[in-house]
Amino acid sequence: MIRLDRAVKRYQVDNSNLLALNYLDLKLEENCFVAIVGVSGCGKSTLLNVIAGYDDIDYGYYYFQNEDVSRFPENKKLELIKSIGVIFQDFNLLDYLTVKENILLATRYLDSRKELLPIACYLEIDDILNKYPSQLSGGQKQRVAIARCLITNKRIILADEPTGSLDRENGLKIMGIFEKLNKEGISIVIVTHDENIANRCKRIIRMENGRVVD
Amino acid sequence: MWLIKEVFYQRKRHYLTTAAVCISIILVLLVNIISSHIIENVHLSFKQLGLNISCIQLLKKRSDNWIEKLIESNQIEKYSLYHKKQERDYKIIGCQSSLAEIFTFNFESGHFLTETGNMYNDNQIVIGNKLKQYFNCYQINESIIIKGITFKVVGILEEDCDNLYEDFDKCVFIFIDYLNKDSQSGIYFLSENRLNERYLNELLGKDNFLFIDQSQTKDALINLLDLIRNVLIVLAFVSVSVSIICIVSNSLSGIDSRMKEIGIKKALGASSKDIYLQFIVENTVIIIIGIFISWLTVLIIVKMINLYAETKVAVDIVSNTGYIILILIIGSICNIYPAKKASEITIIETIKNRGFN
């Protein structure tokens, strides 16, 4: 499904080159449930940005569904972004929209959409649909962010420290949801530095200095 | 609904910008409506006033005894002195000698016929009351034919125009020989002998009066009002431009604070075009709301004026709609730059900016 061959991503920091991805090789299968772990600055988030289509690699290859992403024109790259759901540590909900509007925001840019209510019930947020993000707990916000991915029928969800802003109980709840979603056929890739979270995934990928080490 | 929310929710500065736009547009529309009303009323007033006489503006008074000197020179054969009858100053009545024979009127009872060539250098004439009836001419700008010569009537002396009479009696004489010499001054008497031009020139000096036609007065006034209106409209448009610059500046500074929103939307699949359109639509909505509120306010103000000011101010839909369209076009063009800037922001830029994490 996703394959990176000798991927290199450089950043210019204070007049010196920083190799965020250092000839990285990675293969993620269909319906995977993967945790990417590593210390801060090892390139986890950069890898996630590249997979999500937010950023380009400087060298190497990125294949998505066996197609070379580096050769994608703008519109096809947009399709890649649309086909992958991303969940962030800070939830990234728009404060001026209600929960319902935040979830449906994703459908403004996509043709395919699912029914809102079953998803809301599934994630236990059906009673807070008319509330604003400022009125929600961290766990609720993260479930809204997941709902935003599910409403547009995403088959791959990338999560960057999804439990980073949550307490243990809510963190476990979110992981439970990911496990359920994975069982239903959705591929989940979680970036985390929490070993407990990583241990609940089927596969753990360890990164160090922009490379996969394990 | 989302759009209205996106435009106004938690963006209080939009309220201020919208208010600024409203005030500017109200200014443009009111200036246009009120000045149009004033100009229309000037037209109407002149029409209702119905004074068909040219105004004669005295520039400088001649010496008091100039007419005696003229009479003493014995070059005048016929003239009329009214002062004995009416205890007034001199009243000289004259007409071109070539025209004299058609008159059977008693000049001394107040008939008046004077040619003027003052402004247009063509045959013009001011006629008195009885000549008015004789020629059946009751309107200025009509033409009368005297001995095959066509004259445009530029003034009709009315019987009741005492003041005008006085000014005219004392000060204004038309010298027919000067008509084709771009002169505005002169005197003509029924005279077999030709007046000594040089002597007369010395006596009369330079022109001391101007004929000002009623329509000229009206035109001058309307031109002045038009000028004032145009200046005010330009000033109002400057005010609109300042408001629109406010919106643009607001949008530009808003891009930074809206990094998170742009990042989220792009991550959800919004294209650059979507973001571009969103900014264009948002700012256009502000201007349209401004226009709507302004238009409503202007209509209310006009209604109030009509109710309480005993006047009927009409709203010219066509010209005001023109101004509104112009404002909309200027606003939309000015919004292109911030919209383009916002649309060019990438997800990675928003992530690095920590607006989106």
Side-chain angles (χ1 to χ4, degrees), chain A residues 82 92 96 101 108 132, chain B residues 2 5-6 9 261 356:
Chain A
K82 285 180 184 179
N92 282 325
Y96 60 85
E101 288 164 343
R108 273 166 80 171
Y132 285 94
Chain B
W2 279 9
K5 261 193 168 180
E6 282 180 352
Y9 194 81
E261 179 192 338
F356 176 57

Side-chain angles (χ1 to χ4, degrees), chain B residues 67-128:
Chain B
I67 196 71
E68 282 92 343
K69 285 182 185 174
L70 197 65
I71 295 162
E72 280 166 16
S73 73
N74 289 324
Q75 294 188 69
I76 300 167
E77 229 173 53
K78 284 184 183 178
Y79 60 91
S80 171
L81 287 174
Y82 246 8
H83 67 287
K84 285 175 188 169
K85 281 183 186 174
Q86 299 189 358
E87 294 181 348
R88 286 187 183 181
D89 285 340
Y90 302 108
K91 184 179 181 79
I92 308 294
I93 307 163
C95 70
Q96 193 179 2
S97 56
S98 60
L99 306 177
E101 61 192 70
I102 69 162
F103 296 106
T104 53
F105 306 115
N106 178 6
F107 285 141
E108 291 188 352
S109 65
H111 313 301
F112 201 91
L113 172 68
T114 302
E115 287 182 36
T116 73
N118 55 83
M119 288 292 178
Y120 306 102
N121 208 21
D122 57 7
N123 291 327
Q124 298 181 337
I125 200 162
V126 177
I127 58 173

Side-chain angles (χ1 to χ4, degrees), chain B residues 7-8 13-22 24-25 239-255 258 279-291 327-328 330-339:
Chain B
V7 172
F8 287 104
R13 59 186 165 199
H14 279 330
Y15 292 116
L16 295 174
T17 321
T18 312
V21 171
C22 285
S24 313
I25 299 171
S239 152
V240 170
S241 307
V242 170
S243 306
I244 287 168
I245 289 167
C246 275
I247 298 180
V248 173
S249 142
N250 207 357
S251 299
L252 281 173
S253 62
I255 290 170
R258 294 175 69 180
F279 270 72
I280 287 282
V281 168
E282 266 182 30
N283 290 329
T284 308
V285 163
I286 291 173
I287 296 171
I288 289 173
I289 290 172
I291 286 170
I327 290 167
L328 199 59
I330 295 171
S332 303
I333 290 169
C334 289
N335 285 329
I336 290 173
Y337 177 65

